C-alpha cells in the first residue's frame, strides 16, 4: 500500500477483507444535485488506488441507474472490488414521491435478478435488506436471502436500520456480515441496541452518512436556502430553518479539534466514526459518499487521525444537542421500532 493508502479490516466475523473506509456511490446518480459522470468515474478509480475496496450502491438509487453506472467499473476491476447493493425500497417511475418497503420472498428474488443484470455480474458480494417491513417475518426475508447465498448469487448478507433484537433474530436464520445504519456525530440511534448486538455477534458496522449528509463538513448551513432545488437535503428537518441554525452552532467543537490536528471538520467527523471500532469492540467501515477525487482523498486521510480522550470527550455531547429528526418520516428507521 502507498503511503497515502488505507489499511484493511475483516468485515466482521462473517464477511470479506475490505479497506477500513468504503465509498457510498448514491450521490453519483441522484439526490445531491447535478452529477458529473466523468468526475465520478475518476473518483471510483482514485478510491481503488488508495485501498478503498467496499463500493456501496442500491437498486433504488436512480431507480437502478446507479447500479448501471457502476457496471463498467465493476467489469474492469471485479477481483479488486467488494460490491454491496440493497433491496427493499420500492419506487415507481411514474410517481417520484412514492416509497414502499418490500421484504417478502418473491420480491427479494425479483430484486436480486434485476440487480445482477444491471450490475453485469453473476454474484453480489454483500446483499443488504435496505429497510425492514415489520409485517414480514425476518425468517421469511432472511431465509430468502440465505437461498441466494446457497445458489451462489450472493456471498454475504447484510441488514440496514434494524434494532439489536432484530439483528439477533436475523443472525439466527443466517450469519449476517454487516449492519448498515446511519452513525455520525449527529446520529447515534444505532447505539441504543444494535451496536452492542453487532459486537456480540461479530457483525461489522457500516455507517452511512458519517458526515451528516455533508452538514458536518461545514459546506452548507441551511439546505433550504443554500442547496439547489432537487437536492433531497432540502426536505431533511435537521438541515433547514431554525433546526439548521441551532445545529450549525454544534460544529464549533468539531472545528476546534480540526484546528488542533491541521485537519478539516470532515476528517474529524470521520475519525470519530472510525474510532467507534475501538470504543465498542467491533469492525467499523464507514462509507462516506463523494463524487470528487479531492474529497475522496480528504476522506481517506481521516483514517490516519487518532483523537485523544480529551478530544473524544469534547465531541461526546454533540449528538444529544441535535434538533430535528433524521428524516421527515421516521417510520422505517430502527429508532421508530426502538421507541415502540
Amino acid at each position: 500500500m502507498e503511503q497515502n493508502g488505507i489499511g484493511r479490516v475483516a468485515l466482521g466475523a462473517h464477511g470479506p477483507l475490505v479497506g477500513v473506509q468504503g465509498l457510498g456511490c448514491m450521490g453519483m446518480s441522484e439526490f445531491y444535485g447535478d452529477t458529473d459522470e466523468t468526475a465520478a468515474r475518476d473518483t471510483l478509480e482514485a478510491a481503488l488506488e488508495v485501498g478503498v475496496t467496499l463500493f456501496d450502491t442500491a437498486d433504488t438509487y436512480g431507480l437502478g441507474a446507479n447500479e448501471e453506472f457502476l457496471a463498467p467499473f465493476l467489469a474492469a476491476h471485479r477481483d479488486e472490488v467488494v460490491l454491496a447493493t440493497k433491496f427493499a425500497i420500492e419506487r415507481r417511475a411514474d410517481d417520484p414521491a412514492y416509497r414502499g418497503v418490500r421484504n417478502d420472498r418473491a420480491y427479494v428474488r425479483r430484486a436480486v435478478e434485476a440487480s445482477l443484470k444491471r450490475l453485469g455480474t453473476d454474484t453480489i458480494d454483500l446483499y443488504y435488506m435496505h429497510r425492514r417491513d415489520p409485517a414480514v417475518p425476518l425468517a421469511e426475508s432472511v431465509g430468502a436471502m440465505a437461498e441466494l447465498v446457497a445458489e451462489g448469487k450472493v456471498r454475504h448478507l447484510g441488514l440496514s436500520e434494524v434494532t439489536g433484537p432484530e439483528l439477533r433474530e436475523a443472525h439466527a436464520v443466517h450469519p449476517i456480515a454487516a449492519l448498515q445504519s446511519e452513525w455520525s456525530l449527529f446520529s447515534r440511534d444505532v447505539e441504543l441496541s444494535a451496536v452492542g448486538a453487532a459486537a456480540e455477534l461479530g457483525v461489522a458496522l457500516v455507517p452511512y452518512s458519517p458526515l451528516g449528509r455533508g452538514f458536518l463538513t461545514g459546506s452548507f448551513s441551511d439546505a433550504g436556502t443554500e442547496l439547489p432545488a432537487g437536492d433531497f437535503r432540502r426536505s431533511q428537518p435537521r438541515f433547514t430553518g431554525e433546526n439548521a441554525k441551532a445545529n450549525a452552532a454544534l460544529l464549533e467543537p468539531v472545528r476546534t479539534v480540526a484546528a488542533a490536528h491541521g485537519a478539516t471538520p470532515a476528517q474529524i467527523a470521520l475519525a470519530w466514526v472510525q474510532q467507534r471500532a475501538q470504543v465498542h469492540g467491533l469492525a467499523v467501515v464507514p462509507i462516506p459518499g463523494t463524487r470528487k477525487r479531492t474529497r475522496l482523498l480528504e476522506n481517506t486521510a481521516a483514517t490516519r487521525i487518532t483523537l485523544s480522550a480529551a478530544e473524544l470527550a469534547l465531541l461526546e455531547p454533540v449528538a444529544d444537542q441535535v434538533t430535528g429528526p433524521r428524516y421527515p418520516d421516521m417510520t422505517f428507521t430502527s429508532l421508530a421500532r426502538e421507541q415502540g
Side-chain angles (χ1 to χ4, degrees):
M1 184 66 61
E2 351 178 324
Q3 190 174 0
N4 67 342
I6 65 173
R8 293 195 172 195
V9 65
L11 201 62
H14 311 282
L17 193 68
V18 297
V20 295
Q21 189 179 109
L23 178 63
C25 300
M26 179 182 79
M28 294 178 176
S29 298
E30 194 182 14
F31 298 110
Y32 293 128
D34 294 337
T35 61
D36 180 336
E37 286 201 358
T38 299
R41 293 195 186 284
D42 180 60
T43 300
L44 294 173
E45 298 291 340
L48 268 187
E49 290 167 11
V50 298
V52 171
T53 58
L54 179 63
F55 292 79
D56 185 89
T57 182
D59 61 1
T60 191
Y61 301 160
L63 290 95
N66 195 241
E67 290 181 327
E68 292 173 346
F69 169 76
L70 286 176
F73 172 75
L74 184 64
H77 301 287
R78 191 64 189 96
D79 293 341
E80 303 166 76
V81 167
V82 175
L83 168 69
T85 192
K86 314 177 197 72
F87 75 90
I89 298 180
E90 186 179 39
R91 296 175 64 183
R92 296 172 181 166
D94 61 351
D95 183 0
Y98 177 79
R99 297 290 188 278
V101 174
R102 292 281 300 276
N103 293 171
D104 57 278
R105 181 180 182 278
Y107 185 82
V108 174
R109 298 199 67 85
R110 288 200 304 274
V112 76
E113 295 298 342
S115 286
L116 288 168
K117 183 177 180 179
R118 285 189 293 264
L119 290 160
T121 188
D122 295 326
T123 308
I124 294 165
D125 299 310
L126 178 59
Y127 199 41
Y128 288 104
M129 186 171 76
H130 205 165
R131 291 292 185 271
R132 190 190 172 203
D133 177 2
V136 179
L138 276 169
E140 177 180 343
S141 306
V142 180
M145 296 167 74
E147 291 173 6
L148 303 180
V149 176
E151 294 165 13
K153 295 174 181 177
V154 170
R155 291 194 173 97
H156 305 282
L157 302 186
L159 301 172
S160 181
E161 288 283 350
V162 298
T163 67
E166 290 169 341
L167 179 59
R168 288 189 176 91
E169 183 180 348
H171 192 79
V173 177
H174 187 281
I176 303 299
L179 168 61
Q180 183 177 134
S181 287
E182 187 165 356
W183 202 6
S184 73
L185 280 168
F186 266 29
S187 301
R188 297 177 64 174
D189 308 348
V190 71
E191 294 174 29
L192 291 173
S193 67
V195 168
E200 173 190 319
L201 299 170
V203 176
L205 253 293
V206 178
Y208 73 81
S209 298
L211 293 173
R213 304 190 188 281
F215 196 83
L216 284 163
T217 71
S219 60
F220 71 95
S221 56
D222 189 328
T225 59
E226 298 172 38
L227 299 182
D231 191 306
F232 98 115
R233 290 171 292 186
R234 290 169 61 99
S235 69
Q236 303 301 293
R238 289 184 171 178
F239 307 139
T240 57
E242 289 302 311
N243 284 347
K245 182 178 180 180
N247 292 335
L250 300 179
L251 298 183
E252 197 52 41
V254 183
R255 293 191 178 96
T256 297
V257 176
H261 284 266
T264 65
Q267 289 173 323
I268 298 308
L270 285 171
W272 181 89
V273 174
Q274 300 275 179
Q275 276 182 247
R276 299 300 92 191
Q278 287 74 49
V279 172
H280 295 281
L282 76 171
V284 176
V285 181
I287 49 168
T290 184
R291 296 170 287 194
K292 298 179 180 178
R293 175 182 281 260
T294 53
R295 292 297 189 194
L296 183 283
L297 297 178
E298 176 185 346
N299 290 346
T300 53
T303 66
R304 296 184 287 278
I305 295 174
T306 300
L307 304 179
S308 69
E311 289 167 337
L312 292 173
L314 184 64
L315 298 172
E316 181 64 23
V318 171
D320 286 340
Q321 300 174 59
V322 173
T323 61
R326 293 195 278 129
Y327 295 99
D329 180 359
M330 293 285 286
T331 303
F332 287 99
T333 65
S334 59
L335 182 61
R337 297 190 300 282
E338 294 274 14
Q339 295 178 333

